[in-house]
Amino acid sequence: MASFKRYLKTNHKRVDEHLGTYFEIPGEHVDMHEYLYGPLATYSANSGKRHRPLICQLACEAVGGDPARAQCSAAAVEHFHTAALIHDDIEDGALTRRGKPAMHILHGDGIAINAGDLALSLVTGSVVNDPSLDPEMKVRILKELIDMTTRTIEGQALDIGWARDGRFDLTVDDYLTMATHKTAHYSGAVPLAIGAIIGGADDDTIEILRDFGLAAGLAFQIQDDLINLTGSDKSKDFRIDITEGKRTLMALHALTHSPAARRLLEILELRTTDPVLLEEAVAIMRDAGSLDYASDYAHALVEKAKTELDGALTASKAKDLLLSMADFFIARAG
């Protein structure tokens, strides 16, 4: 775990600098910067750990390729992440993102939607304009990105549709389908597959890396949901998943396993910010074994995926970093 954490810390600024080059185009009118490129550049700069572009380049290196050739395609995945967050915040009515006001709060829905649309255009533009890839490779990468976009939108449709209709008649399998589509493809599976494709890996190796990323990406989402409930109460988003009535793995498990399921459902439907009620909801999930269930599920996903990846790749520093990535995903603190 520590080696991947160190890898992120050492390399994320390099990714930041490359991503920043996409927002330097001022457009034909000075106000294009004011209303489009500037807000998007500022939003993108308020980054997370940049794990998606970095694991794309790691996968390329792990199969014997030059990670520099994957830089633009890796940026494409991060541009998609930026667009998804901007649009997701509008759809959810979120107020903050990474401790700062969400873009639509700062600039209004119109500017935010437009900036998210620009980020989506950069997904394809980053690949099409990459001088290091031949046309056939570009088409292959673009197909991966199109499929990734579709899967993510499908998952988002389930998430917001269930919320709109007040749906809690859902199962753990329903959650896993939603989270896999909404998060796991673009947070793990596709970045690794793209990196392996650019690195020249055979089809079997590409699919093993894809499956590894899918498992790790799902574990990443489950861990994020857990952190929201049990992490630091100093976080502005602490327990917001309860306030928003999120259909998390823990909530759905508790709703089918807790004798206090009816009470939990009442709290989830209140959209409350009352700390006492939020704690009561977490206590119901904890007593039902739902927090442990989710943690165990994430760990099992990662261990199985690590075993399969370990047998598929030859020894290298990049391989070790990918294996430690999976541990990092489920060992993050809130």
Side-chain angles (χ1 to χ4, degrees), residues 196-218:
I197 290 168
I198 295 172
D202 59 56
D203 289 345
D204 288 343
T205 302
I206 291 167
E207 293 312 308
I208 288 171
L209 276 159
R210 188 193 306 278
D211 290 344
F212 173 77
L214 204 64
L218 180 54

Side-chain angles (χ1 to χ4, degrees), residues 61 70 107 130 151 157 184 211:
E61 184 178 355
H107 300 284
D130 184 356
R151 298 292 84 76
D211 290 344

Side-chain angles (χ1 to χ4, degrees), residues 186-198:
Y186 91 89
S187 289
V190 174
L192 293 181
I194 288 175
I197 290 168
I198 295 172

Side-chain angles (χ1 to χ4, degrees), residues 12-323:
H12 80 88
K13 288 184 179 179
R14 169 172 56 82
V15 177
D16 290 345
E17 290 172 0
H18 178 71
L19 289 170
T21 64
Y22 293 91
F23 311 119
E24 293 173 353
I25 304 169
E28 295 181 8
H29 193 286
V30 65
D31 285 344
M32 290 180 182
H33 176 80
E34 176 71 17
Y35 300 130
L36 180 61
Y37 291 97
L40 185 57
T42 300
Y43 188 90
S44 178
N46 181 27
S47 66
K49 297 178 175 63
R50 304 294 197 199
H51 85 260
R52 294 166 186 84
L54 286 169
I55 64 174
C56 180
Q57 291 183 281
L58 266 183
C60 183
E61 184 178 355
V63 300
D66 177 4
R69 291 190 69 230
Q71 184 179 48
C72 293
S73 296
V77 177
E78 190 68 5
H79 288 315
F80 176 80
H81 179 52
T82 296
L85 293 182
I86 292 171
H87 290 161
D88 188 57
D89 285 345
I90 296 169
E91 290 164 353
D92 288 348
L95 300 179
T96 63
R97 173 62 64 178
R98 296 176 180 140
K100 295 184 178 181
M103 181 181 282
H104 68 282
I105 298 299
L106 282 175
H107 300 284
D109 289 356
I111 294 291
I113 292 170
N114 206 44
D117 291 346
L118 175 60
L120 284 176
S121 78
L122 292 173
V123 175
T124 52
S126 300
V127 177
V128 169
N129 297 319
D130 184 356
S132 72
L133 302 182
D134 61 48
E136 184 178 355
M137 179 67 76
K138 289 180 181 180
V139 170
R140 190 172 182 186
I141 300 305
L142 288 173
K143 183 181 185 306
E144 289 284 342
L145 292 168
I146 291 167
D147 289 346
M148 175 194 78
T149 301
T150 302
R151 298 292 84 76
T152 307
I153 292 170
E154 289 171 345
Q156 180 72 345
L158 293 178
D159 197 22
I160 62 178
W162 291 340
R164 185 198 70 180
D165 294 343
R167 294 278 305 279
F168 281 101
D169 58 329
L170 305 168
T171 66
V172 164
D173 285 342
D174 291 323
Y175 166 85
L176 295 173
T177 297
M178 180 274 292
T180 298
H181 281 65
K182 180 177 177 178
T183 301
H185 283 283
Y186 91 89
S187 289
V190 174
L192 293 181
I194 288 175
I197 290 168
I198 295 172
D202 59 56
D203 289 345
D204 288 343
T205 302
I206 291 167
E207 293 312 308
I208 288 171
L209 276 159
R210 188 193 306 278
D211 290 344
F212 173 77
L214 204 64
L218 180 54
F220 180 87
Q221 181 60 57
I222 294 170
Q223 182 67 4
D224 256 10
D225 293 344
L226 277 167
I227 288 171
N228 186 265
L229 299 183
T230 63
S232 171
D233 60 5
K234 292 182 173 60
S235 169
K236 291 184 179 180
D237 294 332
F238 184 57
R239 294 180 173 171
I240 196 172
D241 286 353
I242 300 172
T243 301
E244 295 179 352
K246 290 284 188 179
R247 281 73 175 159
T248 63
L249 182 58
M250 297 79 69
L252 293 176
H253 181 271
L255 287 172
T256 55
H257 289 81
S258 172
R262 184 181 296 275
R263 176 57 178 162
L264 175 60
L265 182 57
E266 289 175 357
I267 297 172
L268 290 170
E269 290 178 335
L270 284 174
R271 301 188 72 86
T272 182
T273 58
D274 184 342
V276 175
L277 292 177
L278 298 180
E279 176 57 36
E280 182 182 356
V282 172
I284 292 171
M285 292 184 228
R286 184 181 293 111
D287 292 345
S290 303
L291 303 186
D292 289 339
Y293 171 81
S295 180
D296 291 345
Y297 194 97
H299 279 81
L301 275 174
V302 161
E303 290 306 316
K304 182 176 184 293
K306 283 172 59 180
T307 298
E308 293 175 356
L309 185 70
D310 193 27
L313 298 179
T314 58
S316 69
K317 181 180 179 182
K319 172 186 170 180
D320 291 342
L321 285 168
L322 287 175
L323 291 171

